[in-house]
Amino acid sequence: MFDLWAPEHSVLREKVFEHAFLTELSKALLLDLRTPFAVLRAEFDGFGYDLAVEARGVLRRVQLKATRIGGKRSSVDIATTLAEQPGGCVVWFLVDEHTLAIGPFYWLGGPPGGRMPPLGDRLARHARGGGERAALRQVLRGKFTKMETIGEVAVAMFGRGDQEHNGARLGARVSLPAT
């Protein structure tokens, strides 16, 4: 029987969650913020981010992290090179293992156009009992800002702009009259 959560399927999981994140972010940017955007993919994770998203003249280099709902993970490892990049940010989200729905979200990043807050001095360690990894910092969940909706993440990434349409709040889907 296929087990999506087995270690040998980590690359598949990563891609599925990346697509799920981009689907939800796309809906928030297009329907709620009413803004076009571009997605750029890194060929490899050498600079600490998985993808870049540009909207409203703001380029965000995004590192994605995912944890199953009910998972015990309390920290993630973040590359110091990401913190050095303008627009670097981390979006850590919970995943429902039965439906693959994502959220809530944990955000670590600066304002649009700004840099990330300092990552701290806690060096990451190799998973199998090896030494420290000088290029990575272990960042506790408490340093992240919890956000319930992808709409909140979109605003954190790109600002409010034209946030309201027909009196609706960001995060709720907006029904516009047909023209």
Side-chain angles (χ1 to χ4, degrees), residues 5-179:
W5 302 98
E8 62 267 22
H9 300 303
S10 63
V11 174
L12 173 61
R13 275 194 313 275
E14 180 178 322
K15 287 300 175 188
V16 167
F17 300 151
E18 180 179 303
H19 286 287
F21 171 77
L22 284 173
T23 296
E24 295 305 314
L25 182 65
S26 297
K27 290 190 285 187
L29 290 171
L30 294 173
L31 299 176
D32 296 336
L33 293 180
R34 302 291 179 168
T35 192
F37 63 95
V39 176
L40 308 154
R41 296 182 188 275
E43 191 67 28
F44 66 99
D45 190 359
F47 293 98
Y49 59 93
D50 297 308
L51 52 95
V53 181
E54 182 180 14
R56 299 183 169 167
V58 175
L59 178 65
R60 286 293 192 174
R61 292 163 176 88
V62 185
Q63 176 69 53
L64 297 174
K65 301 289 185 178
T67 301
R68 282 191 270 190
I69 291 174
K72 307 226 183 293
R73 190 169 200 185
S74 63
S75 67
V76 291
D77 295 344
I78 301 173
T80 56
T81 53
L82 180 62
E84 297 164 1
Q85 301 285 321
C89 64
V90 179
V91 180
W92 183 6
F93 50 86
L94 300 184
V95 178
D96 182 308
E97 66 182 295
H98 303 291
T99 66
L100 302 184
I102 62 173
F105 304 86
Y106 294 88
W107 163 260
L108 183 65
R115 293 189 184 273
M116 292 179 66
L119 298 178
D121 297 327
R122 190 174 187 171
L123 295 177
R125 300 191 61 77
H126 286 281
R128 295 200 184 356
E132 296 174 333
R133 301 173 74 187
L136 297 173
R137 296 295 178 269
Q138 188 179 66
V139 181
L140 296 172
R141 187 180 293 181
K143 285 200 68 153
F144 288 73
T145 300
K146 185 176 182 182
M147 298 181 174
E148 294 297 329
T149 69
I150 193 71
E152 293 173 85
V153 175
V155 168
M157 291 176 76
F158 302 107
R160 292 190 180 282
D162 182 19
Q163 159 185 347
E164 295 196 3
H165 304 281
N166 292 344
R169 286 184 22 247
L170 186 70
R173 295 290 169 233
V174 178
S175 297
L176 296 177
T179 55

